[in-house]
Amino acid sequence: MIADIHNHTYYSGCGKDHPEKLIEAAIKGGIEVFGISDHNYGIDDRKSNYVNQIRQLADKYKDKIKVLCGIEISSYYYQLPPEDWDCHEFDYALVENLQNDDCKITDIPAFAKKFKCRVGIAHTDLFYYCKNRKLYALDFFKSLASANIFWEMNMSYDSIHGWREHTYMLEFFKNEEQQAIVKESGIELSVGFDGHRIEDYDPKRIHYACNKIEELGLKLVNI
Ligand SMILES: [Zn+2]
Ligand SMILES: [Zn+2]
């Protein structure tokens, strides 16, 4: 399966494209499952517009691609969605910024549970996270897996991030010790381009990561 479930549209302040343009680019790029995941603080009070629009497009293109309606949630204390904001109408939520000082969340499974949908951790070096907090990596990954939380391999490479690649992802794909821990824990992985500019979209990177995960005998999340 070739799945890219991290993408931004004009609902994110940092994005600019119509969701339909993204879906067309994904189809052209041979993506089979495509998730749109705009920022919670970008969607803000337009949640029902956003969901309706993505669902309509999902229906329009259903013979060519499976389109998912997701969201990316910032865990910075000043960007958190309101307490009563659950995400049951989304297919999944990606949580970001967990490793930063402005995130006050310590119990990730408890935090994830509030959203009432499948939750993944976006672009975070979880091995560094464990080291920093003196957590035993295998136990930590097992605790995420048993809460049904998945971990993203972020394949972003674009102009708005200065053409950088995430070093945790590069490391994971070559580090057999890390791969063994992830395998044993049973945690599922997702892949996302995290695109913000249609002209930067490179589906080859998604194919590479999905194939690599399969080759390594690891599990790609299936939402
Ligand atoms: Zn992000
Ligand atoms: Zn993002």
Side-chain angles (χ1 to χ4, degrees):
M1 182 177 64
I2 305 296
D4 174 3
I5 66 163
H6 191 156
N7 291 283
H8 295 276
T9 74
Y10 54 40
Y11 280 95
S12 294
C14 47
K16 68 163 182 50
D17 300 301
H18 191 288
E20 189 159 15
K21 272 191 159 180
L22 265 65
I23 294 167
E24 284 169 352
I27 294 169
K28 213 172 132 207
I31 307 295
E32 296 163 313
V33 178
F34 188 70
I36 293 173
S37 56
D38 279 302
H39 292 291
N40 67 286
Y41 51 87
I43 298 170
D44 200 29
D45 58 359
R46 298 176 295 170
K47 197 154 74 137
S48 55
N49 282 6
Y50 173 76
V51 174
N52 290 339
Q53 191 176 357
I54 308 296
R55 295 287 182 217
Q56 274 171 23
L57 290 168
D59 190 55
K60 179 173 173 186
Y61 288 94
K62 66 176 185 295
D63 297 332
K64 291 185 175 148
I65 195 167
K66 180 176 175 184
V67 174
L68 301 175
C69 181
I71 185 166
E72 182 170 25
I73 293 175
S74 172
S75 56
Y76 286 153
Y77 64 89
Y78 51 84
Q79 279 176 339
L80 282 172
E83 268 299 313
D84 58 348
W85 219 73
D86 74 46
C87 293
H88 70 272
E89 65 269 75
F90 295 100
D91 294 313
Y92 65 94
L94 300 172
V95 176
E96 65 169 346
N97 303 327
L98 287 166
Q99 75 283 13
N100 297 58
D101 291 342
D102 283 351
C103 169
K104 306 291 178 210
I105 292 148
T106 49
D107 185 343
I108 299 173
F111 177 69
K113 215 174 161 181
K114 290 202 279 197
F115 295 112
K116 300 190 171 72
C117 69
R118 197 76 203 268
V119 171
I121 298 177
H123 50 71
T124 300
D125 185 344
L126 290 182
F127 283 96
Y128 176 77
Y129 181 94
C130 288
K131 207 171 146 192
N132 213 11
R133 288 165 180 74
K134 300 193 169 47
L135 302 169
Y136 182 57
L138 180 59
D139 288 346
F140 174 74
F141 278 100
K142 277 184 176 169
S143 75
L144 297 182
S146 61
N148 217 14
I149 295 169
F150 58 91
W151 182 33
E152 174 186 78
M153 287 295 122
N154 191 293
M155 303 307 292
S156 135
Y157 184 69
D158 69 5
S159 56
I160 83 155
H161 295 103
W163 305 105
R164 66 94 181 83
E165 292 186 280
H166 279 285
T167 50
Y168 85 92
M169 172 279 295
L170 295 172
E171 178 64 26
F172 179 73
F173 280 139
K174 59 183 186 211
N175 187 322
E176 290 177 13
E177 201 185 316
Q178 290 188 359
Q179 292 160 10
I181 290 170
V182 162
K183 193 171 195 169
E184 194 183 338
S185 74
I187 194 169
E188 295 180 335
L189 301 176
S190 69
V191 171
F193 188 75
D194 204 358
H196 294 74
R197 295 281 177 275
I198 193 90
E199 55 275 22
D200 296 341
Y201 191 53
D202 183 1
K204 286 195 300 295
R205 296 178 63 78
I206 301 300
H207 285 260
Y208 166 81
C210 293
N211 290 331
K212 186 89 185 160
I213 287 168
E214 203 191 313
E215 227 175 86
L216 294 170
L218 303 172
K219 290 189 274 187
L220 191 64
V221 67
N222 190 356
I223 296 168

